Short mmCIF file of all heavy atoms in Angstrom, two decimals:
data_model
loop_
_atom_site.label_atom_id
_atom_site.label_comp_id
_atom_site.label_asym_id
_atom_site.label_seq_id
_atom_site.Cartn_x
_atom_site.Cartn_y
_atom_site.Cartn_z
N THR A 95 6.04 -24.55 -3.73
CA THR A 95 4.91 -24.84 -2.85
C THR A 95 5.16 -24.10 -1.55
O THR A 95 5.83 -24.58 -0.63
CB THR A 95 4.77 -26.36 -2.60
OG1 THR A 95 4.72 -27.04 -3.85
CG2 THR A 95 3.49 -26.66 -1.81
N HIS A 96 4.62 -22.90 -1.46
CA HIS A 96 4.97 -21.97 -0.37
C HIS A 96 4.79 -22.59 1.01
O HIS A 96 5.62 -22.42 1.90
CB HIS A 96 4.13 -20.69 -0.49
CG HIS A 96 4.48 -19.85 -1.67
ND1 HIS A 96 5.28 -18.74 -1.60
CD2 HIS A 96 4.12 -19.97 -2.97
CE1 HIS A 96 5.41 -18.20 -2.80
NE2 HIS A 96 4.71 -18.93 -3.65
N ALA A 97 3.71 -23.33 1.20
CA ALA A 97 3.41 -23.89 2.52
C ALA A 97 4.45 -24.90 2.98
O ALA A 97 4.62 -25.12 4.18
CB ALA A 97 2.02 -24.53 2.52
N ASN A 98 5.17 -25.51 2.02
CA ASN A 98 6.13 -26.57 2.37
C ASN A 98 7.58 -26.11 2.32
O ASN A 98 8.49 -26.93 2.49
CB ASN A 98 5.93 -27.76 1.42
CG ASN A 98 4.58 -28.43 1.61
OD1 ASN A 98 3.96 -28.29 2.66
ND2 ASN A 98 4.12 -29.13 0.59
N ILE A 99 7.82 -24.82 2.11
CA ILE A 99 9.19 -24.32 2.02
C ILE A 99 9.99 -24.58 3.31
O ILE A 99 11.15 -25.01 3.23
CB ILE A 99 9.21 -22.83 1.62
CG1 ILE A 99 8.89 -22.70 0.12
CG2 ILE A 99 10.55 -22.19 1.93
CD1 ILE A 99 8.77 -21.27 -0.38
N PRO A 100 9.43 -24.37 4.51
CA PRO A 100 10.25 -24.63 5.70
C PRO A 100 10.78 -26.06 5.81
O PRO A 100 11.94 -26.27 6.17
CB PRO A 100 9.29 -24.29 6.85
CG PRO A 100 8.36 -23.28 6.27
CD PRO A 100 8.14 -23.72 4.86
N VAL A 101 9.94 -27.03 5.49
CA VAL A 101 10.37 -28.43 5.54
C VAL A 101 11.40 -28.71 4.46
O VAL A 101 12.42 -29.37 4.70
CB VAL A 101 9.17 -29.38 5.40
CG1 VAL A 101 9.62 -30.82 5.22
CG2 VAL A 101 8.27 -29.27 6.63
N HIS A 102 11.16 -28.21 3.26
CA HIS A 102 12.10 -28.42 2.16
C HIS A 102 13.45 -27.79 2.49
O HIS A 102 14.50 -28.40 2.27
CB HIS A 102 11.52 -27.81 0.88
CG HIS A 102 12.33 -28.08 -0.35
ND1 HIS A 102 12.65 -29.34 -0.78
CD2 HIS A 102 12.89 -27.22 -1.25
CE1 HIS A 102 13.36 -29.27 -1.90
NE2 HIS A 102 13.53 -27.99 -2.20
N PHE A 103 13.44 -26.59 3.06
CA PHE A 103 14.68 -25.92 3.45
C PHE A 103 15.47 -26.77 4.44
O PHE A 103 16.68 -26.96 4.30
CB PHE A 103 14.37 -24.56 4.06
CG PHE A 103 15.58 -23.77 4.46
CD1 PHE A 103 16.17 -22.87 3.60
CD2 PHE A 103 16.16 -23.94 5.73
CE1 PHE A 103 17.31 -22.15 3.97
CE2 PHE A 103 17.29 -23.23 6.10
CZ PHE A 103 17.86 -22.34 5.22
N ALA A 104 14.77 -27.28 5.45
CA ALA A 104 15.45 -28.08 6.48
C ALA A 104 16.08 -29.33 5.89
O ALA A 104 17.21 -29.71 6.24
CB ALA A 104 14.46 -28.45 7.58
N ASN A 105 15.39 -29.99 4.96
CA ASN A 105 15.92 -31.21 4.35
C ASN A 105 17.16 -30.92 3.50
O ASN A 105 18.15 -31.66 3.55
CB ASN A 105 14.84 -31.87 3.49
CG ASN A 105 13.71 -32.44 4.31
OD1 ASN A 105 13.85 -32.71 5.51
ND2 ASN A 105 12.56 -32.63 3.69
N VAL A 106 17.10 -29.84 2.73
CA VAL A 106 18.25 -29.47 1.89
C VAL A 106 19.41 -28.99 2.76
O VAL A 106 20.57 -29.30 2.49
CB VAL A 106 17.84 -28.41 0.86
CG1 VAL A 106 19.05 -27.93 0.06
CG2 VAL A 106 16.77 -28.97 -0.09
N ASP A 107 19.09 -28.25 3.81
CA ASP A 107 20.13 -27.72 4.69
C ASP A 107 20.94 -28.85 5.33
O ASP A 107 22.18 -28.79 5.36
CB ASP A 107 19.48 -26.86 5.78
CG ASP A 107 20.50 -26.06 6.58
OD1 ASP A 107 21.36 -25.42 5.96
OD2 ASP A 107 20.42 -26.08 7.82
N ALA A 108 20.27 -29.87 5.81
CA ALA A 108 20.97 -30.99 6.44
C ALA A 108 21.90 -31.68 5.45
O ALA A 108 23.06 -31.98 5.77
CB ALA A 108 19.96 -31.98 7.02
N ALA A 109 21.40 -31.93 4.24
CA ALA A 109 22.21 -32.62 3.24
C ALA A 109 23.39 -31.78 2.77
O ALA A 109 24.52 -32.26 2.65
CB ALA A 109 21.34 -33.01 2.04
N ALA A 110 23.14 -30.49 2.52
CA ALA A 110 24.20 -29.63 1.99
C ALA A 110 25.29 -29.35 3.03
O ALA A 110 26.47 -29.34 2.70
CB ALA A 110 23.59 -28.32 1.50
N LYS A 111 24.89 -29.13 4.28
CA LYS A 111 25.89 -28.88 5.32
C LYS A 111 26.79 -30.09 5.53
O LYS A 111 28.00 -29.95 5.70
CB LYS A 111 25.19 -28.50 6.63
CG LYS A 111 24.76 -27.05 6.69
CD LYS A 111 24.12 -26.71 8.01
CE LYS A 111 23.78 -25.22 8.07
NZ LYS A 111 23.00 -24.89 9.30
N ALA A 112 26.19 -31.27 5.52
CA ALA A 112 26.98 -32.48 5.71
C ALA A 112 28.01 -32.67 4.60
O ALA A 112 29.08 -33.23 4.81
CB ALA A 112 26.05 -33.69 5.80
N ALA A 113 27.67 -32.18 3.40
CA ALA A 113 28.56 -32.36 2.24
C ALA A 113 29.45 -31.16 1.98
O ALA A 113 30.31 -31.21 1.09
CB ALA A 113 27.72 -32.64 1.00
N GLY A 114 29.25 -30.07 2.72
CA GLY A 114 30.02 -28.87 2.46
C GLY A 114 29.60 -28.17 1.18
O GLY A 114 30.41 -27.48 0.54
N LYS A 115 28.34 -28.32 0.81
CA LYS A 115 27.82 -27.73 -0.43
C LYS A 115 26.80 -26.64 -0.12
O LYS A 115 26.31 -26.52 1.00
CB LYS A 115 27.17 -28.81 -1.30
CG LYS A 115 28.09 -29.95 -1.70
CD LYS A 115 29.25 -29.47 -2.56
CE LYS A 115 30.12 -30.64 -3.04
NZ LYS A 115 31.26 -30.17 -3.86
N VAL A 116 26.46 -25.86 -1.14
CA VAL A 116 25.43 -24.83 -1.04
C VAL A 116 24.19 -25.30 -1.80
O VAL A 116 24.29 -25.77 -2.93
CB VAL A 116 25.93 -23.49 -1.62
CG1 VAL A 116 24.77 -22.51 -1.81
CG2 VAL A 116 26.99 -22.89 -0.72
N GLY A 117 23.03 -25.17 -1.17
CA GLY A 117 21.77 -25.51 -1.81
C GLY A 117 20.83 -24.32 -1.75
O GLY A 117 20.33 -23.97 -0.68
N VAL A 118 20.62 -23.66 -2.89
CA VAL A 118 19.73 -22.50 -2.93
C VAL A 118 18.37 -22.97 -3.41
O VAL A 118 18.24 -23.52 -4.51
CB VAL A 118 20.28 -21.39 -3.85
CG1 VAL A 118 19.39 -20.16 -3.77
CG2 VAL A 118 21.71 -21.04 -3.48
N ILE A 119 17.35 -22.78 -2.58
CA ILE A 119 16.01 -23.27 -2.92
C ILE A 119 15.07 -22.10 -3.24
O ILE A 119 15.32 -20.96 -2.87
CB ILE A 119 15.41 -24.12 -1.79
CG1 ILE A 119 15.07 -23.25 -0.56
CG2 ILE A 119 16.33 -25.27 -1.41
CD1 ILE A 119 14.05 -23.86 0.37
N SER A 120 14.00 -22.45 -3.93
CA SER A 120 12.87 -21.53 -4.16
C SER A 120 13.30 -20.26 -4.88
O SER A 120 12.95 -19.15 -4.50
CB SER A 120 12.18 -21.20 -2.83
OG SER A 120 11.68 -22.37 -2.23
N CYS A 121 14.08 -20.44 -5.96
CA CYS A 121 14.49 -19.32 -6.81
C CYS A 121 13.55 -19.22 -8.00
O CYS A 121 13.12 -20.21 -8.55
CB CYS A 121 15.90 -19.54 -7.34
SG CYS A 121 17.17 -19.27 -6.11
N GLY A 122 13.32 -18.01 -8.40
CA GLY A 122 12.45 -17.73 -9.54
C GLY A 122 11.90 -16.34 -9.32
O GLY A 122 12.55 -15.49 -8.72
N TRP A 123 10.68 -16.12 -9.79
CA TRP A 123 10.12 -14.79 -9.54
C TRP A 123 9.12 -14.81 -8.40
O TRP A 123 8.95 -13.81 -7.71
CB TRP A 123 9.57 -14.16 -10.81
CG TRP A 123 8.54 -14.93 -11.56
CD1 TRP A 123 8.75 -15.92 -12.48
CD2 TRP A 123 7.12 -14.75 -11.49
NE1 TRP A 123 7.55 -16.37 -12.97
CE2 TRP A 123 6.53 -15.66 -12.39
CE3 TRP A 123 6.30 -13.90 -10.76
CZ2 TRP A 123 5.15 -15.74 -12.57
CZ3 TRP A 123 4.93 -13.98 -10.94
CH2 TRP A 123 4.37 -14.89 -11.83
N ASP A 124 8.47 -15.94 -8.13
CA ASP A 124 7.71 -16.08 -6.89
C ASP A 124 7.52 -17.56 -6.60
O ASP A 124 6.75 -18.21 -7.30
CB ASP A 124 6.37 -15.37 -6.95
CG ASP A 124 5.79 -15.13 -5.56
OD1 ASP A 124 6.49 -15.45 -4.58
OD2 ASP A 124 4.66 -14.64 -5.45
N PRO A 125 8.20 -18.07 -5.58
CA PRO A 125 9.12 -17.37 -4.69
C PRO A 125 10.41 -16.98 -5.41
O PRO A 125 10.80 -17.60 -6.38
CB PRO A 125 9.39 -18.41 -3.59
CG PRO A 125 9.14 -19.73 -4.25
CD PRO A 125 8.05 -19.50 -5.23
N GLY A 126 11.01 -15.91 -4.90
CA GLY A 126 12.24 -15.40 -5.48
C GLY A 126 12.22 -13.89 -5.51
O GLY A 126 12.27 -13.24 -4.46
N MET A 127 12.09 -13.29 -6.70
CA MET A 127 12.14 -11.84 -6.83
C MET A 127 10.99 -11.17 -6.07
O MET A 127 11.17 -10.13 -5.43
CB MET A 127 12.11 -11.44 -8.31
CG MET A 127 13.18 -12.10 -9.17
SD MET A 127 14.86 -11.91 -8.52
CE MET A 127 15.10 -10.16 -8.72
N PHE A 128 9.80 -11.77 -6.14
CA PHE A 128 8.67 -11.20 -5.39
C PHE A 128 8.92 -11.30 -3.89
O PHE A 128 8.55 -10.41 -3.13
CB PHE A 128 7.38 -11.95 -5.75
CG PHE A 128 6.69 -11.42 -6.99
CD1 PHE A 128 7.32 -10.57 -7.87
CD2 PHE A 128 5.38 -11.79 -7.27
CE1 PHE A 128 6.68 -10.10 -9.01
CE2 PHE A 128 4.72 -11.32 -8.40
CZ PHE A 128 5.37 -10.47 -9.28
N SER A 129 9.56 -12.37 -3.46
CA SER A 129 9.84 -12.55 -2.03
C SER A 129 10.72 -11.41 -1.53
O SER A 129 10.50 -10.87 -0.44
CB SER A 129 10.54 -13.89 -1.79
OG SER A 129 9.87 -14.95 -2.42
#
Side-chain angles (χ1 to χ4, degrees):
T95 306
H96 292 260
N98 294 338
I99 285 175
V101 170
H102 186 57
F103 181 92
N105 291 339
V106 175
D107 191 48
K111 279 182 176 173
K115 301 296 184 181
V116 167
V118 185
I119 69 159
S120 300
C121 286
W123 57 275
D124 198 5
M127 306 307 293
F128 275 14
S129 311

